[in-house]
Amino acid sequence: MRRNTTRIFALGVLLLFGCGLFASADGKGRRSEGPVDAMLAASGTTGATAVFIRTGELVAERNSDLFQADLLQTYGKVLGHDERNLNRLYLRCDRNWGATAYALALQAASKEPLQVVLMNYDAAGRNWERTALAMRKLSQKRLEPVHSFGTYLNQQLKTWSRILESPMRWRETYLGPEGR
């Protein structure tokens, strides 16, 4: 009986060591990456585009109803003031609210129909950076948004930053310096 217990213990240690060895060699840092990070890495998106999409997802996680209402209010004309159109776009953007907001901002800056933006997205290999480059809304050299597109993105990021900082402001206002 004691031999079996020792063998089982040794086998368990080997399994734990082996799993730890494979996990560190196979995917270092994977635990810190979420589905949005994995989607962005798979599509090759970097820089300002990735920051915008990640920030949008963070805000949507806080309150998706408020996020959807904001998108409908801001881009209502494009969406026909219909929540179903927003949900279709969300599904088309791989169930990512940040990418949905990016698509709407790209449409607003380019003044093209949303269908044209989505066709460019498919033609660019479902990569938002390449889509914006193809539509000439990102500079070729530094991958920074051109003025009109940058205005839409910055305006949206300011709104999102206020939403993300709101608990901090509440604590600072009501709890004071000793409440931190």
Side-chain angles (χ1 to χ4, degrees), residues 52 75 100-110 148-149 152-153 156:
F52 183 88
Y75 302 103
T100 303
Y102 193 84
L104 289 167
L106 189 57
Q107 184 281 324
S110 68
S148 61
F149 186 45
Y152 282 102
L153 295 180
Q156 192 67 60

Side-chain angles (χ1 to χ4, degrees), residues 133-164:
L133 276 169
M135 296 181 76
R136 297 185 181 149
K137 295 300 166 193
L138 285 182
S139 66
Q140 292 284 344
K141 294 180 182 177
R142 293 182 280 164
L143 295 178
E144 291 179 0
V146 296
H147 179 70
S148 61
F149 186 45
T151 302
Y152 282 102
L153 295 180
N154 289 336
Q155 195 172 24
Q156 192 67 60
L157 280 172
K158 283 180 187 176
T159 303
W160 288 347
S161 295
R162 277 185 298 207
I163 292 169
L164 291 174

